[in-house]
Amino acid sequence: MKTVLIFEPLDFSAKVIATLTEHGFEVSLNKDNISIREALEKYSLIYMRLGVKIDAKLLDECNSIKCRFILIPATGIDHVDEQACYKHQIQIISFKNKKELLKDIRATAELTMALTLTLLRNIIPAIESTKSGIWNRDLFRGRDIFGKKVGIIGYGRLGSIVSNYFHTFGAIVQVYEKNAVELPSHFERASSINDIFLNNEIITLHVDYQESNIQLINSSNLMLATKQPVFINTSRGQLVNEADLLVALENKVIGGAAIDVVNEELGFNPKNPLVAYANHHSNLIITPHIGGCTIDSSHKTEEIITNELLDLIKNEV
Amino acid sequence: MKTVLIFEPLDFSAKVIATLTEHGFEVSLNKDNISIREALEKYSLIYMRLGVKIDAKLLDECNSIKCRFILIPATGIDHVDEQACYKHQIQIISFKNKKELLKDIRATAELTMALTLTLLRNIIPAIESTKSGIWNRDLFRGRDIFGKKVGIIGYGRLGSIVSNYFHTFGAIVQVYEKNAVELPSHFERASSINDIFLNNEIITLHVDYQESNIQLINSSNLMLATKQPVFINTSRGQLVNEADLLVALENKVIGGAAIDVVNEELGFNPKNPLVAYANHHSNLIITPHIGGCTIDSSHKTEEIITNELLDLIKNEV
């Protein structure tokens, strides 16, 4: 009997649990909140999300490792040391390099629009004002997406979906993509990230987390902005130099920002200067990496990754 | 010399002021915040928004009325008694029955998406949590628009734009429209408002303010909901029975609501029970009628209505 632990069981797909049980797995939910080390020692399969790190040191410290598969329904798995896992005969199943499976997963793309609109329409202070008993629309005059110049950095799975949303809203979309990818004729191609910052009023980042992209957004491009753009990051915190973003906001070169990610999320620092700024300025909003975090999208990714597992095991038999 | 008062001058279009001046008007901004009565007595043209009422009693009380034109860049002008104005030889220029002029005015349609996404993604509590120094995505698991059944009540200017947004987001759109209007084939037609509440997970209201629509949404349709839908109202507060909406929220028949309008906006009651509920429940959000209230859309409507005025005057000469 193969034992499965759902390490972070909140709202986990009931359909997947039923499927696994049908296939002869014994599924446990981590109700006692055991550590990832204990999980690796006791279960042959582990489903995990983004909540804990697995590195070489942790794996070396385990008494004995029973785990053979770790399933992570995410594209970015930098919280798990893949090399170290392979050394310990653990196979990782994730969506890294398998984005074609995710065409119906829209949670992060939708959050990009949510954050853009929340910022442009001053939704947060408007709601606060009404809650306090004041009814005054003039305090919250916002901006439209319609007719705005929107710069999209990265035209992969998410960049292309988001570009399409902005196009439907009537924005003029400009795309920067370093790879040779064909663009629909209604999108303009930018020659560089600098170009994106020079020309646009809304700028949104959709690139992968990889070594060469770390701090891709920094003062060298941020400070080129001419139209006080709003900047949206629903990708990864490490792609942006946070100190530079703060300076750009303080100097009003960047008109506003909405970020769903920060540099350090595991071991989050409540004194992060961006958090301090957000506490006193309504033009910076920060959400706690809720991009992929909808019940609908989570269930779908859990189902898809389970199918990947079952296919793999079937082939091995 | 014709005298013009911009009664509510905040962020008023500089382009319009220049145009009026070129055409020989003497334009004043209401910097001293004079009353609407004094404005009617002193100026031949008045630009106004939604901030004050003009009724028969007010007009009868004026010493003498100099005003000949009131320009209101809005479609809903129920705050102004048109009959009483005509009796006093005042001509109203607004967008009532002239919606074809507003195809590029998207502020209210965009706010509809902003409110839907804010509610579905728990944006308000997520931002509050991060501001307080906590980083925990699991507290704010939301829902996607993609794949959801969305019911649109009213397929006029705004309903059709909003339907198109939801379609692009991958929702399954069902429309109720009492008038004989052709729908694109990818939208399903609902036979009644009841039908909309029975079938959908997101429901949004886009009908005109008119006598026959008052309290159109009430317990007789709200209580038919089977899928705990979220309900969005960016139209007019009078279209909804607020007490019934509150009961539907309290009984969890309606899963959440986002409203940009309430019954009484002039003379807003801070003790409105919906406001009290919103102060203790994150599934109701209320904004202070900021639907049309973007700088971009306001400037465009001010420009269009000024062109209407200039055309009218030209024909009269």
Side-chain angles (χ1 to χ4, degrees):
Chain A
M1 175 79 80
K2 282 172 181 161
T3 53
V4 177
L5 181 69
I6 314 299
F7 187 71
E8 289 145 305
L10 183 69
D11 291 320
F12 192 85
S13 166
K15 189 171 159 190
V16 165
I17 294 173
T19 304
L20 290 170
T21 308
E22 278 166 31
H23 281 79
F25 292 92
E26 184 184 296
V27 182
S28 305
L29 305 178
N30 188 8
K31 285 184 180 156
D32 297 333
N33 211 2
I34 67 167
S35 69
I36 190 68
R37 178 178 159 171
E38 194 177 339
L40 289 162
E41 291 170 351
K42 290 193 177 162
Y43 291 89
S44 42
L45 267 101
I46 299 170
Y47 281 77
M48 63 180 283
R49 292 172 178 159
L50 307 176
V52 291
K53 270 189 184 170
I54 296 182
D55 57 17
K57 183 167 170 289
L58 175 89
L59 290 163
D60 291 339
E61 281 171 6
C62 288
N63 290 326
S64 73
I65 293 178
K66 186 171 176 190
C67 181
R68 288 297 154 253
F69 291 98
I70 295 175
L71 288 88
I72 314 169
T75 52
I77 57 165
D78 48 290
H79 57 310
V80 175
D81 184 332
E82 294 177 82
Q83 293 306 319
C85 285
Y86 291 127
K87 212 185 94 188
H88 288 270
Q89 283 90 48
I90 301 170
Q91 198 164 340
I92 309 280
I93 306 180
S94 77
F95 294 121
K96 193 179 164 184
N97 305 324
K98 281 189 245 168
K99 293 194 186 166
E100 70 285 357
L101 298 175
L102 298 179
K103 69 180 174 50
D104 284 353
I105 307 299
R106 302 287 177 88
T108 303
E110 292 188 9
L111 186 76
T112 305
M113 301 312 288
L115 293 181
T116 305
L117 287 162
T118 301
L119 200 54
L120 289 179
R121 297 306 287 272
N122 303 309
I123 298 292
I124 309 296
I127 289 173
E128 281 311 308
S129 166
T130 309
K131 278 164 86 169
S132 76
I134 297 165
W135 192 269
N136 185 349
R137 70 198 319 236
D138 287 333
L139 302 174
F140 311 107
R141 298 176 80 73
R143 304 303 304 255
D144 293 344
I145 291 177
F146 180 83
K148 288 278 177 309
K149 293 186 172 190
V150 176
I152 313 276
I153 302 171
Y155 196 75
R157 181 178 74 88
L158 288 162
S160 61
I161 297 170
V162 168
S163 298
N164 192 36
Y165 292 162
F166 276 111
H167 177 67
T168 296
F169 274 76
I172 301 147
V173 176
Q174 189 183 39
V175 173
Y176 172 71
E177 168 57 58
K178 68 175 177 177
N179 297 316
V181 170
E182 209 170 321
L183 297 181
S185 61
H186 50 271
F187 298 152
E188 191 194 329
R189 189 183 294 274
S191 59
S192 64
I193 292 176
N194 288 356
D195 216 17
I196 290 282
F197 276 90
L198 272 166
N199 291 321
N200 292 289
E201 300 165 279
I202 297 168
I203 295 168
T204 178
L205 184 64
H206 301 283
V207 303
D208 282 342
Y209 175 74
Q210 50 179 257
E211 199 71 21
S212 60
N213 284 340
I214 290 177
Q215 306 213 346
L216 186 69
I217 306 304
N218 56 59
S219 59
S220 77
N221 39 52
L222 287 165
M223 298 306 277
L224 295 175
T226 56
K227 298 171 191 287
Q228 292 191 303
V230 298
F231 173 71
I232 316 294
N233 184 8
T234 55
S235 295
R236 282 299 173 119
Q238 299 90 335
L239 306 173
V240 177
N241 182 311
E242 292 185 348
D244 289 0
L245 176 59
L246 189 59
V247 168
L249 283 166
E250 283 170 342
N251 290 303
K252 300 186 198 305
V253 177
I254 297 294
I259 59 178
D260 186 43
V261 287
V262 294
N263 263 284
E264 290 296 336
E265 296 183 6
L266 299 171
F268 174 65
N269 174 13
K271 295 200 171 135
N272 181 316
L274 287 174
V275 173
Y277 182 92
N279 266 295
H280 297 98
H281 299 83
S282 65
N283 69 335
L284 173 62
I285 59 184
I286 309 177
T287 47
H289 208 151
I290 58 175
C293 188
T294 64
I295 293 172
D296 311 286
S297 285
S298 298
H299 285 185
K300 268 183 256 167
T301 55
E302 286 153 10
E303 290 162 20
I304 297 167
I305 210 147
T306 301
N307 292 338
E308 291 286 290
L309 169 76
L310 296 175
D311 275 358
L312 195 71
I313 290 176
K314 189 178 65 191
N315 293 339
E316 282 184 352
V317 173
Chain B
M1 176 79 79
K2 283 172 180 161
T3 53
V4 177
L5 181 70
I6 314 298
F7 186 72
E8 289 146 303
L10 183 69
D11 291 321
F12 192 85
S13 165
K15 189 171 158 189
V16 165
I17 294 173
T19 303
L20 289 170
T21 307
E22 278 167 30
H23 281 78
F25 292 92
E26 185 184 295
V27 182
S28 304
L29 306 178
N30 188 9
K31 286 185 179 155
D32 296 334
N33 211 3
I34 68 167
S35 69
I36 190 67
R37 177 177 160 171
E38 193 177 341
L40 290 161
E41 291 170 351
K42 289 193 177 163
Y43 292 89
S44 42
L45 268 101
I46 300 171
Y47 281 77
M48 63 180 283
R49 292 171 179 160
L50 308 176
V52 291
K53 271 189 183 170
I54 297 182
D55 57 18
K57 182 166 170 288
L58 175 90
L59 289 164
D60 290 339
E61 282 172 5
C62 287
N63 289 326
S64 73
I65 293 179
K66 187 172 176 187
C67 181
R68 288 297 153 254
F69 291 98
I70 295 175
L71 288 88
I72 313 170
T75 52
I77 57 166
D78 48 291
H79 56 309
V80 174
D81 183 332
E82 294 177 81
Q83 293 305 320
C85 284
Y86 290 128
K87 210 184 95 185
H88 287 269
Q89 283 90 49
I90 301 170
Q91 197 164 340
I92 310 280
I93 306 180
S94 77
F95 294 121
K96 192 180 164 184
N97 306 323
K98 280 189 244 168
K99 292 193 186 166
E100 70 284 358
L101 297 175
L102 297 180
K103 70 179 173 51
D104 285 353
I105 306 299
R106 302 286 178 88
T108 303
E110 292 188 10
L111 186 75
T112 305
M113 302 311 288
L115 293 181
T116 305
L117 288 162
T118 300
L119 200 54
L120 290 179
R121 299 306 288 272
N122 304 309
I123 298 291
I124 308 296
I127 289 173
E128 281 310 308
S129 166
T130 310
K131 278 164 87 169
S132 76
I134 297 165
W135 192 269
N136 184 349
R137 69 198 318 238
D138 287 332
L139 303 174
F140 311 107
R141 297 176 81 74
R143 305 303 304 254
D144 293 344
I145 291 177
F146 180 83
K148 287 279 177 311
K149 292 186 171 191
V150 176
I152 314 275
I153 302 171
Y155 196 75
R157 182 178 75 86
L158 288 161
S160 61
I161 297 171
V162 168
S163 299
N164 192 35
Y165 292 161
F166 277 111
H167 177 67
T168 296
F169 274 76
I172 301 147
V173 176
Q174 189 184 39
V175 173
Y176 172 71
E177 167 56 58
K178 67 173 179 178
N179 297 316
V181 170
E182 209 171 321
L183 298 181
S185 62
H186 50 271
F187 298 152
E188 190 194 329
R189 188 183 294 273
S191 60
S192 64
I193 292 176
N194 288 356
D195 216 18
I196 290 283
F197 277 90
L198 273 167
N199 290 321
N200 292 288
E201 300 165 279
I202 298 168
I203 296 167
T204 177
L205 183 64
H206 301 285
V207 303
D208 283 341
Y209 175 73
Q210 50 179 259
E211 199 71 21
S212 60
N213 285 340
I214 291 177
Q215 305 213 348
L216 187 69
I217 306 304
N218 55 60
S219 59
S220 77
N221 38 53
L222 287 165
M223 298 307 276
L224 294 176
T226 55
K227 298 172 191 286
Q228 291 191 303
V230 298
F231 173 70
I232 316 294
N233 184 8
T234 55
S235 295
R236 282 300 172 117
Q238 298 91 335
L239 306 173
V240 177
N241 182 311
E242 292 185 348
D244 289 1
L245 176 60
L246 190 59
V247 169
L249 284 166
E250 283 169 342
N251 291 302
K252 300 187 197 307
V253 177
I254 296 295
I259 58 178
D260 186 43
V261 287
V262 292
N263 262 282
E264 289 295 336
E265 296 183 6
L266 299 171
F268 174 66
N269 174 14
K271 296 200 171 135
N272 181 317
L274 287 174
V275 173
Y277 182 92
N279 266 295
H280 296 97
H281 300 83
S282 65
N283 69 335
L284 173 63
I285 58 183
I286 310 177
T287 47
H289 208 152
I290 58 175
C293 189
T294 64
I295 293 173
D296 311 286
S297 285
S298 298
H299 284 184
K300 267 184 255 166
T301 55
E302 286 154 9
E303 289 162 21
I304 296 168
I305 210 149
T306 301
N307 291 338
E308 291 286 289
L309 169 76
L310 295 175
D311 275 358
L312 195 72
I313 291 177
K314 190 178 64 191
N315 293 339
E316 282 185 351
V317 171

PDB file of all heavy atoms in Angstrom, chain B residues 155 160 163 173-177 179-190:
ATOM      1  N   TYR B 155     -29.049  44.347 -21.153  1.00  0.00           N
ATOM      2  CA  TYR B 155     -28.021  44.281 -22.201  1.00  0.00           C
ATOM      3  C   TYR B 155     -28.013  45.582 -22.993  1.00  0.00           C
ATOM      4  O   TYR B 155     -28.139  45.609 -24.205  1.00  0.00           O
ATOM      5  CB  TYR B 155     -28.284  43.074 -23.105  1.00  0.00           C
ATOM      6  CG  TYR B 155     -27.111  42.688 -23.971  1.00  0.00           C
ATOM      7  CD1 TYR B 155     -26.009  42.036 -23.436  1.00  0.00           C
ATOM      8  CD2 TYR B 155     -27.114  42.981 -25.334  1.00  0.00           C
ATOM      9  CE1 TYR B 155     -24.936  41.680 -24.237  1.00  0.00           C
ATOM     10  CE2 TYR B 155     -26.036  42.629 -26.145  1.00  0.00           C
ATOM     11  CZ  TYR B 155     -24.955  41.984 -25.585  1.00  0.00           C
ATOM     12  OH  TYR B 155     -23.883  41.635 -26.376  1.00  0.00           O
ATOM     13  N   SER B 160     -23.747  45.163 -22.280  1.00  0.00           N
ATOM     14  CA  SER B 160     -23.070  44.510 -23.406  1.00  0.00           C
ATOM     15  C   SER B 160     -21.548  44.583 -23.265  1.00  0.00           C
ATOM     16  O   SER B 160     -20.847  43.606 -23.568  1.00  0.00           O
ATOM     17  CB  SER B 160     -23.536  45.104 -24.739  1.00  0.00           C
ATOM     18  OG  SER B 160     -23.237  46.473 -24.803  1.00  0.00           O
ATOM     19  N   SER B 163     -20.644  42.068 -20.488  1.00  0.00           N
ATOM     20  CA  SER B 163     -20.784  40.688 -20.988  1.00  0.00           C
ATOM     21  C   SER B 163     -19.536  40.283 -21.763  1.00  0.00           C
ATOM     22  O   SER B 163     -19.046  39.150 -21.633  1.00  0.00           O
ATOM     23  CB  SER B 163     -21.994  40.581 -21.926  1.00  0.00           C
ATOM     24  OG  SER B 163     -23.173  40.896 -21.256  1.00  0.00           O
ATOM     25  N   VAL B 173     -21.720  33.118 -20.096  1.00  0.00           N
ATOM     26  CA  VAL B 173     -22.549  34.303 -19.875  1.00  0.00           C
ATOM     27  C   VAL B 173     -24.000  34.050 -20.276  1.00  0.00           C
ATOM     28  O   VAL B 173     -24.281  33.568 -21.376  1.00  0.00           O
ATOM     29  CB  VAL B 173     -21.984  35.505 -20.672  1.00  0.00           C
ATOM     30  CG1 VAL B 173     -22.902  36.721 -20.538  1.00  0.00           C
ATOM     31  CG2 VAL B 173     -20.575  35.835 -20.205  1.00  0.00           C
ATOM     32  N   GLN B 174     -24.892  34.394 -19.361  1.00  0.00           N
ATOM     33  CA  GLN B 174     -26.325  34.337 -19.627  1.00  0.00           C
ATOM     34  C   GLN B 174     -26.881  35.752 -19.455  1.00  0.00           C
ATOM     35  O   GLN B 174     -26.533  36.429 -18.486  1.00  0.00           O
ATOM     36  CB  GLN B 174     -26.993  33.376 -18.627  1.00  0.00           C
ATOM     37  CG  GLN B 174     -28.446  33.085 -18.947  1.00  0.00           C
ATOM     38  CD  GLN B 174     -29.120  32.198 -17.897  1.00  0.00           C
ATOM     39  OE1 GLN B 174     -28.868  32.344 -16.704  1.00  0.00           O
ATOM     40  NE2 GLN B 174     -29.984  31.304 -18.337  1.00  0.00           N
ATOM     41  N   VAL B 175     -27.734  36.177 -20.383  1.00  0.00           N
ATOM     42  CA  VAL B 175     -28.205  37.569 -20.381  1.00  0.00           C
ATOM     43  C   VAL B 175     -29.719  37.620 -20.256  1.00  0.00           C
ATOM     44  O   VAL B 175     -30.423  36.878 -20.940  1.00  0.00           O
ATOM     45  CB  VAL B 175     -27.782  38.272 -21.699  1.00  0.00           C
ATOM     46  CG1 VAL B 175     -28.400  39.667 -21.798  1.00  0.00           C
ATOM     47  CG2 VAL B 175     -26.263  38.335 -21.820  1.00  0.00           C
ATOM     48  N   TYR B 176     -30.212  38.499 -19.386  1.00  0.00           N
ATOM     49  CA  TYR B 176     -31.643  38.826 -19.429  1.00  0.00           C
ATOM     50  C   TYR B 176     -31.807  40.259 -19.926  1.00  0.00           C
ATOM     51  O   TYR B 176     -31.215  41.191 -19.365  1.00  0.00           O
ATOM     52  CB  TYR B 176     -32.303  38.699 -18.047  1.00  0.00           C
ATOM     53  CG  TYR B 176     -33.724  39.227 -18.097  1.00  0.00           C
ATOM     54  CD1 TYR B 176     -34.712  38.515 -18.766  1.00  0.00           C
ATOM     55  CD2 TYR B 176     -34.062  40.457 -17.551  1.00  0.00           C
ATOM     56  CE1 TYR B 176     -36.004  39.006 -18.878  1.00  0.00           C
ATOM     57  CE2 TYR B 176     -35.351  40.966 -17.652  1.00  0.00           C
ATOM     58  CZ  TYR B 176     -36.312  40.234 -18.316  1.00  0.00           C
ATOM     59  OH  TYR B 176     -37.580  40.737 -18.444  1.00  0.00           O
ATOM     60  N   GLU B 177     -32.600  40.419 -20.984  1.00  0.00           N
ATOM     61  CA  GLU B 177     -32.901  41.762 -21.506  1.00  0.00           C
ATOM     62  C   GLU B 177     -34.360  41.761 -21.916  1.00  0.00           C
ATOM     63  O   GLU B 177     -34.778  40.940 -22.744  1.00  0.00           O
ATOM     64  CB  GLU B 177     -31.982  42.062 -22.691  1.00  0.00           C
ATOM     65  CG  GLU B 177     -32.367  43.266 -23.520  1.00  0.00           C
ATOM     66  CD  GLU B 177     -32.482  44.561 -22.711  1.00  0.00           C
ATOM     67  OE1 GLU B 177     -31.486  44.951 -22.067  1.00  0.00           O
ATOM     68  OE2 GLU B 177     -33.579  45.172 -22.709  1.00  0.00           O
ATOM     69  N   ASN B 179     -36.064  43.988 -23.539  1.00  0.00           N
ATOM     70  CA  ASN B 179     -36.326  44.487 -24.890  1.00  0.00           C
ATOM     71  C   ASN B 179     -35.829  43.497 -25.933  1.00  0.00           C
ATOM     72  O   ASN B 179     -34.980  42.654 -25.668  1.00  0.00           O
ATOM     73  CB  ASN B 179     -35.632  45.837 -25.106  1.00  0.00           C
ATOM     74  CG  ASN B 179     -36.175  46.893 -24.171  1.00  0.00           C
ATOM     75  OD1 ASN B 179     -37.389  47.005 -23.989  1.00  0.00           O
ATOM     76  ND2 ASN B 179     -35.277  47.637 -23.540  1.00  0.00           N
ATOM     77  N   ALA B 180     -36.377  43.607 -27.150  1.00  0.00           N
ATOM     78  CA  ALA B 180     -35.988  42.707 -28.239  1.00  0.00           C
ATOM     79  C   ALA B 180     -34.637  43.151 -28.788  1.00  0.00           C
ATOM     80  O   ALA B 180     -34.553  44.030 -29.629  1.00  0.00           O
ATOM     81  CB  ALA B 180     -37.038  42.741 -29.339  1.00  0.00           C
ATOM     82  N   VAL B 181     -33.598  42.563 -28.253  1.00  0.00           N
ATOM     83  CA  VAL B 181     -32.240  42.912 -28.657  1.00  0.00           C
ATOM     84  C   VAL B 181     -31.565  41.626 -29.077  1.00  0.00           C
ATOM     85  O   VAL B 181     -31.719  40.600 -28.416  1.00  0.00           O
ATOM     86  CB  VAL B 181     -31.467  43.531 -27.459  1.00  0.00           C
ATOM     87  CG1 VAL B 181     -30.000  43.685 -27.771  1.00  0.00           C
ATOM     88  CG2 VAL B 181     -32.080  44.852 -27.051  1.00  0.00           C
ATOM     89  N   GLU B 182     -30.852  41.668 -30.169  1.00  0.00           N
ATOM     90  CA  GLU B 182     -30.159  40.464 -30.594  1.00  0.00           C
ATOM     91  C   GLU B 182     -28.905  40.249 -29.741  1.00  0.00           C
ATOM     92  O   GLU B 182     -28.208  41.218 -29.414  1.00  0.00           O
ATOM     93  CB  GLU B 182     -29.783  40.581 -32.078  1.00  0.00           C
ATOM     94  CG  GLU B 182     -29.736  39.221 -32.756  1.00  0.00           C
ATOM     95  CD  GLU B 182     -29.589  39.369 -34.264  1.00  0.00           C
ATOM     96  OE1 GLU B 182     -30.210  40.292 -34.836  1.00  0.00           O
ATOM     97  OE2 GLU B 182     -28.852  38.570 -34.845  1.00  0.00           O
ATOM     98  N   LEU B 183     -28.664  39.011 -29.385  1.00  0.00           N
ATOM     99  CA  LEU B 183     -27.466  38.703 -28.591  1.00  0.00           C
ATOM    100  C   LEU B 183     -26.463  37.933 -29.456  1.00  0.00           C
ATOM    101  O   LEU B 183     -26.868  37.140 -30.305  1.00  0.00           O
ATOM    102  CB  LEU B 183     -27.826  37.810 -27.402  1.00  0.00           C
ATOM    103  CG  LEU B 183     -28.781  38.349 -26.351  1.00  0.00           C
ATOM    104  CD1 LEU B 183     -28.975  37.301 -25.260  1.00  0.00           C
ATOM    105  CD2 LEU B 183     -28.235  39.629 -25.742  1.00  0.00           C
ATOM    106  N   PRO B 184     -25.164  38.138 -29.223  1.00  0.00           N
ATOM    107  CA  PRO B 184     -24.169  37.288 -29.879  1.00  0.00           C
ATOM    108  C   PRO B 184     -24.452  35.822 -29.538  1.00  0.00           C
ATOM    109  O   PRO B 184     -24.954  35.532 -28.445  1.00  0.00           O
ATOM    110  CB  PRO B 184     -22.848  37.736 -29.247  1.00  0.00           C
ATOM    111  CG  PRO B 184     -23.108  39.087 -28.689  1.00  0.00           C
ATOM    112  CD  PRO B 184     -24.552  39.111 -28.304  1.00  0.00           C
ATOM    113  N   SER B 185     -24.114  34.933 -30.445  1.00  0.00           N
ATOM    114  CA  SER B 185     -24.496  33.526 -30.265  1.00  0.00           C
ATOM    115  C   SER B 185     -23.800  32.869 -29.080  1.00  0.00           C
ATOM    116  O   SER B 185     -24.257  31.855 -28.570  1.00  0.00           O
ATOM    117  CB  SER B 185     -24.188  32.751 -31.542  1.00  0.00           C
ATOM    118  OG  SER B 185     -22.792  32.809 -31.785  1.00  0.00           O
ATOM    119  N   HIS B 186     -22.670  33.437 -28.617  1.00  0.00           N
ATOM    120  CA  HIS B 186     -21.991  32.808 -27.478  1.00  0.00           C
ATOM    121  C   HIS B 186     -22.609  33.191 -26.134  1.00  0.00           C
ATOM    122  O   HIS B 186     -22.123  32.778 -25.092  1.00  0.00           O
ATOM    123  CB  HIS B 186     -20.489  33.089 -27.502  1.00  0.00           C
ATOM    124  CG  HIS B 186     -20.137  34.536 -27.675  1.00  0.00           C
ATOM    125  ND1 HIS B 186     -19.981  35.108 -28.911  1.00  0.00           N
ATOM    126  CD2 HIS B 186     -19.910  35.517 -26.780  1.00  0.00           C
ATOM    127  CE1 HIS B 186     -19.662  36.391 -28.762  1.00  0.00           C
ATOM    128  NE2 HIS B 186     -19.621  36.661 -27.486  1.00  0.00           N
ATOM    129  N   PHE B 187     -23.676  34.000 -26.139  1.00  0.00           N
ATOM    130  CA  PHE B 187     -24.390  34.288 -24.893  1.00  0.00           C
ATOM    131  C   PHE B 187     -25.727  33.564 -24.903  1.00  0.00           C
ATOM    132  O   PHE B 187     -26.432  33.547 -25.906  1.00  0.00           O
ATOM    133  CB  PHE B 187     -24.655  35.793 -24.742  1.00  0.00           C
ATOM    134  CG  PHE B 187     -23.400  36.631 -24.663  1.00  0.00           C
ATOM    135  CD1 PHE B 187     -23.404  37.947 -25.102  1.00  0.00           C
ATOM    136  CD2 PHE B 187     -22.218  36.121 -24.151  1.00  0.00           C
ATOM    137  CE1 PHE B 187     -22.253  38.724 -25.040  1.00  0.00           C
ATOM    138  CE2 PHE B 187     -21.063  36.898 -24.087  1.00  0.00           C
ATOM    139  CZ  PHE B 187     -21.077  38.205 -24.533  1.00  0.00           C
ATOM    140  N   GLU B 188     -26.078  33.000 -23.753  1.00  0.00           N
ATOM    141  CA  GLU B 188     -27.380  32.355 -23.619  1.00  0.00           C
ATOM    142  C   GLU B 188     -28.399  33.404 -23.172  1.00  0.00           C
ATOM    143  O   GLU B 188     -28.056  34.314 -22.419  1.00  0.00           O
ATOM    144  CB  GLU B 188     -27.259  31.252 -22.547  1.00  0.00           C
ATOM    145  CG  GLU B 188     -28.452  30.329 -22.461  1.00  0.00           C
ATOM    146  CD  GLU B 188     -28.419  29.497 -21.182  1.00  0.00           C
ATOM    147  OE1 GLU B 188     -27.307  29.184 -20.698  1.00  0.00           O
ATOM    148  OE2 GLU B 188     -29.499  29.184 -20.672  1.00  0.00           O
ATOM    149  N   ARG B 189     -29.643  33.277 -23.634  1.00  0.00           N
ATOM    150  CA  ARG B 189     -30.669  34.228 -23.215  1.00  0.00           C
ATOM    151  C   ARG B 189     -31.458  33.652 -22.033  1.00  0.00           C
ATOM    152  O   ARG B 189     -31.882  32.500 -22.069  1.00  0.00           O
ATOM    153  CB  ARG B 189     -31.619  34.512 -24.382  1.00  0.00           C
ATOM    154  CG  ARG B 189     -32.600  35.653 -24.093  1.00  0.00           C
ATOM    155  CD  ARG B 189     -33.559  35.839 -25.251  1.00  0.00           C
ATOM    156  NE  ARG B 189     -32.899  36.290 -26.466  1.00  0.00           N
ATOM    157  CZ  ARG B 189     -32.672  37.573 -26.773  1.00  0.00           C
ATOM    158  NH1 ARG B 189     -33.045  38.527 -25.942  1.00  0.00           N
ATOM    159  NH2 ARG B 189     -32.070  37.895 -27.893  1.00  0.00           N
ATOM    160  N   ALA B 190     -31.626  34.445 -20.995  1.00  0.00           N
ATOM    161  CA  ALA B 190     -32.465  34.031 -19.867  1.00  0.00           C
ATOM    162  C   ALA B 190     -33.873  34.545 -20.115  1.00  0.00           C
ATOM    163  O   ALA B 190     -34.061  35.630 -20.669  1.00  0.00           O
ATOM    164  CB  ALA B 190     -31.922  34.603 -18.571  1.00  0.00           C
TER     165      ALA B 190
END
